[in-house]
Amino acid sequence: MTTTPAPPQAPPKPTWDPRKPQQLPLPWLRPTIRIRLTLLYGGMFLIAGILLLSIIYLLAAQAIREGSGSQSFQINGSGVSITSDTCPALNVATNDQQRSAALKACYDALRQHALDGLLSRSLLTLLGLAVIAFAFGYAMAGRVLTPLGRITRTARAVAGSDLSRRIELDGPDDELKELADTLDDMLERLQRAFTAQQRFVGNASHELRTPLAINRTLLEVHLSDPAAPPELQQLGKTLLATNERSEQLVEGLLLLARSDNQIIERKPVDLAEVAEQAVDQTHAEAEAKGVEFRGKRDPAVVQGNGVLLERIALNLVQNAVRYNVPEDGWVEVATAVQHGQAVLLVSNTGPVVPAYEIDNLFEPFRRLRTERTGSDKGVGLGLSIARSVARAHGGHISAVPREGGGLVMRVALPI
């Protein structure tokens, strides 16, 4: 009796994403440069104030002590009566010696009281000045770091595929302006390089369209000849399939080159309608493979290019159908509005996908455990195109392995 091995299980889903920085529970406690400069300015002022206060207190105490040391009190005579509200000991003194001792103790107490009052008032003044110093330091740090914030915002915009942005920092010719000018020059060179690359891909793809179309026409003409031998017919079908794959590759490169740019003309597009069209276009293929469609598609309207958004949904749904289990497979296509974003979810049953392979799936001509175009399921550009289109619309796409096999693809676009 032989036992079949248990099917491989998907790796456990990580509870955190190492690619994303961990968020602090209180964002305002983040140790920014502005906070650190404020603490530095305020701390230096506070330390200087404490030192100054200590020196003033010691000098004042020494001056009072030296002044009082040269003074002495001696009471002589009979019938002398001294009363004081602040020195009760004088009221009960019965002789000159007791009166002199009480007067000296009273003088020492008044001196210590004056020093304590000086210390308490100085501490309150120092506390008020420290608050003012910290506020002033915070304001000045913000003013000094304003150019750095402008550089950061421009860099964030460039990271969102907008290479046309420039910092163009004004002001004195200091280190920050030199940094901004250097970054502007770098962005200019990057934009020229990307533009040249996209132009080359687009021109090459356009140039390849004509010979591929001619080849397809010639092959179809030869295949339509009933007198052609079977070997020639089989060869023609093979060449026609290869030519069709080449045409798909060219169309994919054209779309990939165009989708890397920002979308200028935007119109309202409902992701629910886009998802429905993608399901309708792949319905016949899903029936042939025995794959069932599921999911609730709620309205989720975004501003974008309808043709490119249709390409996202179609690529994801086609991949979910083609890379599925042989029997009793399903694909869930859902749309919704979550946290101020329009979301398209495409999940499916399928082979187990390790978490470390997810990033490779979004690279051009890459598939799970294979490279280039060694499969008849596509040309390897579907997910690359989907990611480029999502970025061009200001959104992002992510993939998570399902327990038991398959993927959950999530596209989030701003409304």
Side-chain angles (χ1 to χ4, degrees), residues 277-294 314 316-333 347-349:
Q277 293 180 4
V279 170
D280 293 340
Q281 294 182 38
T282 56
H283 193 270
E285 184 178 357
E287 283 188 347
K289 293 179 63 66
V291 176
E292 175 189 1
F293 280 112
R294 303 176 181 177
L314 183 60
L316 295 183
V317 174
Q318 283 181 343
N319 282 348
V321 172
R322 293 172 182 176
Y323 298 94
N324 216 303
V325 294
E327 296 180 356
D328 299 328
W330 53 265
V331 174
E332 182 176 358
V333 184
S347 55
N348 69 312
T349 53

Side-chain angles (χ1 to χ4, degrees), residues 159-177:
S161 300
D162 186 8
L163 290 175
S164 61
R165 294 289 297 271
R166 295 294 180 270
I167 302 172
E168 297 178 352
L169 186 64
D170 299 328
D173 191 10
D174 54 7
E175 291 83 358
L176 290 177
K177 190 175 188 306

Side-chain angles (χ1 to χ4, degrees), residues 37-80:
L37 287 177
T38 302
L39 294 177
L40 177 63
Y41 297 155
M44 292 178 62
F45 175 84
L46 189 60
I47 293 174
I50 292 175
L51 291 176
L52 179 62
L53 176 61
S54 301
I55 294 173
I56 292 176
Y57 180 82
L58 293 176
L59 292 177
Q62 183 179 3
I64 294 176
R65 190 180 302 110
E66 291 177 353
S68 62
S70 60
Q71 302 293 330
S72 61
F73 296 92
Q74 186 68 34
I75 300 177
N76 297 316
S78 59
V80 177

